[in-house]
Amino acid sequence: MPHSSNHQTLWCALSGALAGLANGFFGGGGGMILVPLLTAKCGLTQRQAFANSVLIILPLCVFSSVIYLLRGSLDLLTALPYLLGGLIGGWLGGRLFKGLNMNVLRRVFALFILYGGVKALL
């Protein structure tokens, strides 16, 4: 972590808790919470926040998926094509990430958040 104060460590832990809550409650969306908090409260650069968000979300998604599976809410056969497409998209996004302008990435991220918010309201 690029910081050492207890206050910042608490904010980072709270950020992770909020991301986990979003993933467990909504089935996703933790990254939308993490990226702004990692930059504003935890002292990470935008590029570090995006990369760390992916790493943080992985175990949260696995944990939430196990809970959904145990409760009978997860249909693995239905999810499989999306998982395969997501793996390809994740690989491609990771390859393109290094050369991407952060202002463009931040704006695209904001558009996805706005799109999701509008879709949720309608």
Side-chain angles (χ1 to χ4, degrees):
M1 267 187 252
H3 51 73
S4 60
S5 80
N6 288 335
H7 181 72
Q8 284 180 317
T9 302
L10 180 62
W11 266 110
C12 292
L14 179 61
S15 300
L18 290 172
L21 181 65
N23 268 23
F25 192 66
F26 300 116
M32 289 188 282
I33 293 169
L34 274 177
V35 171
L37 289 173
L38 288 172
T39 56
K41 299 292 184 181
C42 300
L44 298 181
T45 67
Q46 195 76 38
R47 192 172 297 277
Q48 290 171 324
F50 279 108
N52 279 280
S53 174
V54 171
L55 177 64
I56 294 165
I57 292 300
L58 175 65
L60 298 178
C61 289
V62 170
F63 187 72
S64 295
S65 296
V66 169
I67 291 172
Y68 285 127
L69 181 67
L70 293 175
R71 292 189 174 175
S73 301
L74 182 61
D75 181 350
L76 292 174
L77 290 178
T78 300
L80 188 60
Y82 296 98
L83 176 61
L84 295 174
L87 290 172
I88 294 167
W91 175 81
L92 183 60
R95 301 278 300 166
L96 297 173
F97 179 72
K98 185 176 180 180
L100 208 60
N101 180 300
M102 281 294 102
N103 288 327
V104 171
L105 184 59
R106 197 169 45 249
R107 287 185 177 110
V108 170
F109 182 67
L111 288 173
F112 275 119
I113 291 173
L114 286 172
Y115 172 77
V118 168
K119 289 294 284 182
L121 288 173
L122 299 178

